[in-house]
Amino acid sequence: MIPLVDIKAQYATIQPELEAAVLAVLRSGQYVMGSEVAAFETEFSNHVGGGEVIGVNTGTSALHLAFLAAGIGPGDEVITSPMTFVATVSAIDYAGATPVFVDIDPKTWTLDPARIEAAITPRTKAIAPVHLHGRMADMDGIMAVARAHGLLVIEDAAQAHGAEHGGRRAGAFGDIACFSFYPGKNLGAVGEAGAAVTSNGEYARKMRALRDWGMEEKYVHLLKGYNYRMENLQGAALRVKLKRLEAWTDARRAAACRYHARLDALGLDRPTNEGTGERHAFHIYATFVPDSASAPEAVRDGILTSLREAGVGAGMHYPIPVHLQPCFRALGYREGAFPIAERFGRTQFSLPLFPEITEEQIDAVCDALAVATGRQGLKR
Ligand SMILES: *Cc1c(COP(=O)(O)O)cnc(C)c1O
């Protein structure tokens, strides 16, 4: 069995150090926030390339606090990508603002800066690009539109730890950037965790207060806050893993290279090559069935079934664009609104990718994929 993500394989490589770090927290009696969280915040700031880091309990909480701290609320519109995990859009909704979707760039599958201007209204307050699958959105293009229209930028970097654009890291562009440390992410806690990063002292101060019941001094709740605190144990685990993140990202990239060559031979679309200064962090390795197939979703289902039978754990990220999700029906978007995101949703599937994946495993996945596509009558 080759899983989509192998968290146990990673655990085995760091077991003694990770267990010692976690045990030390258990023995310390300091369980919520604490010295490990504070140290992690400093170390993660160095990783991103500066800014204040606010550790929280989930990536979704980081997004929620980011929108609140930026003063985004009811009556405001936030432009984002329909091709993302639902949490990006839910966080906009939690803040009381209205998500406005703009279609993706077919080359990078991230928010297309060329389409943003047409969606800007007097109510637009911010742009929230998503670095999907670990590939950064075109931040030069997005920052230029944002500056021209006086809009804030909140990066959803939940999948993009260590990714770069123009030689700068995910999290170093926006007014605030948000990361998730869900166990399956490129940097994963041993439970739930997340963080926001900002170089704006006022936003940082607000997010620190909001994550802990709106307190800046004990007993005084300046703002209506939340319990979004990070556990000390997660800080300790993340510190052990952060030291390895660079090497793990390189391993993901090497695995992706091997997949590229095999998929090109199979005639399947795969992530387009990086531009200069771009570093794809390969949270997800995506491939596609041809949209020319008469029923691409059925062809994809057949391939996923064949892969599963061959012991290969494949997935989809994401089959239903957020504008077509039942929970956001009230936003009023119809099928056909965002053809590129919708085509992506119909045709995309994900292959196993994690730092510890071996060349033999990648070859086995590709062999199984060759059989699966052959069964579906896809010709090379
Ligand atoms: C995982 C993820 C989130 C949410 O993070 P959690 O830590 O699971 O709350 C938000 N946005 C994107 C794009 C994600 O992949």
Side-chain angles (χ1 to χ4, degrees):
M1 175 70 200
I2 305 172
L4 190 62
V5 181
D6 195 342
I7 289 170
K8 281 189 173 175
Q10 180 165 92
Y11 189 77
T13 68
I14 53 173
Q15 185 168 350
E17 193 180 337
L18 182 56
E19 291 182 355
V22 167
L23 195 58
V25 173
L26 288 183
R27 288 178 175 163
S28 76
Q30 193 183 38
Y31 296 150
V32 178
M33 301 297 294
S35 55
E36 293 294 321
V37 170
F40 173 69
E41 288 177 339
T42 304
E43 290 163 10
F44 196 65
S45 165
N46 293 335
H47 165 82
V48 171
E52 285 188 64
V53 173
I54 296 91
V56 292
N57 62 338
T58 68
T60 308
S61 301
L63 285 163
H64 183 195
L65 295 190
F67 291 120
L68 293 178
I72 290 162
D76 297 334
E77 294 176 353
V78 178
I79 291 174
T80 193
S81 167
M83 185 42 67
T84 182
F85 183 62
V86 70
T88 319
V89 184
S90 294
I92 296 169
D93 184 69
Y94 295 171
T98 304
V100 172
F101 298 109
V102 163
D103 213 348
I104 53 175
D105 173 345
K107 276 219 198 68
T108 62
W109 318 322
T110 56
L111 193 60
D112 187 348
R115 297 169 194 270
I116 292 175
E117 243 156 17
I120 294 175
T121 75
R123 290 169 178 263
T124 310
K125 270 281 186 63
I127 308 174
V130 181
H131 307 315
L132 192 73
H133 299 174
R135 183 177 207 149
M136 286 190 65
D138 173 6
M139 292 309 293
D140 296 325
I142 289 167
M143 296 310 292
V145 178
R147 267 189 222 106
H149 295 270
L151 304 176
L152 296 169
V153 174
I154 314 284
E155 281 175 79
D156 184 340
Q159 303 186 353
H161 322 72
E164 292 175 13
H165 175 84
R168 281 165 72 201
R169 289 254 157 106
F173 289 85
D175 295 278
I176 307 176
C178 301
F179 290 86
S180 166
F181 307 120
Y182 181 75
K185 298 287 160 81
N186 287 23
L187 177 62
V190 292
E192 306 270 6
V197 185
T198 184
S199 298
N200 179 311
E202 182 57 25
Y203 295 161
R205 203 174 59 84
K206 264 197 192 155
M207 290 192 284
R208 277 188 207 291
L210 286 169
R211 77 173 159 184
D212 190 15
W213 295 117
M215 281 190 292
E216 280 187 350
E217 58 181 294
K218 211 167 178 184
Y219 306 118
V220 182
H221 301 274
L222 200 65
L223 304 165
K224 287 182 195 163
Y226 302 85
N227 176 358
Y228 283 172
R229 297 176 300 231
M230 188 190 270
E231 293 179 347
N232 210 23
L233 189 150
Q234 305 306 342
L238 287 165
R239 292 185 69 201
V240 170
K241 294 190 177 196
L242 180 59
K243 288 190 274 184
R244 276 107 176 158
L245 181 59
E246 278 307 289
W248 285 342
T249 305
D250 288 339
R252 286 175 181 276
R253 291 168 52 73
C257 257
R258 193 170 184 88
Y259 270 128
H260 288 350
R262 292 290 311 261
L263 291 184
D264 289 348
L266 281 173
L268 292 177
D269 280 347
R270 45 89 170 169
T272 54
N273 293 331
E274 294 164 327
T276 36
E278 221 193 322
R279 185 182 193 229
H280 192 323
F282 285 102
H283 172 57
I284 295 288
Y285 191 89
T287 183
F288 301 84
V289 301
D291 197 35
S292 55
S294 57
E297 285 159 307
V299 171
R300 177 176 61 185
D301 281 352
I303 290 174
L304 292 179
T305 303
S306 294
L307 288 176
R308 210 169 301 124
E309 286 167 5
V312 172
M316 295 178 278
H317 302 85
Y318 296 93
I320 308 175
V322 182
H323 70 283
L324 299 179
Q325 288 290 355
C327 68
F328 287 116
R329 199 170 286 146
L331 293 175
Y333 292 96
R334 296 270 178 278
E335 202 162 337
F338 305 108
I340 302 167
E342 290 169 24
R343 184 180 68 211
F344 182 98
R346 277 196 297 278
T347 57
Q348 187 273 345
F349 61 105
S350 313
L351 299 175
L353 183 66
F354 45 89
E356 299 75 20
I357 196 167
T358 63
E359 294 189 343
E360 292 71 30
Q361 286 178 310
I362 294 171
D363 290 344
V365 169
C366 294
D367 292 345
L369 185 58
V371 172
T373 53
R375 272 192 205 153
Q376 292 300 316
L378 297 184
K379 55 177 194 306
R380 302 202 181 171

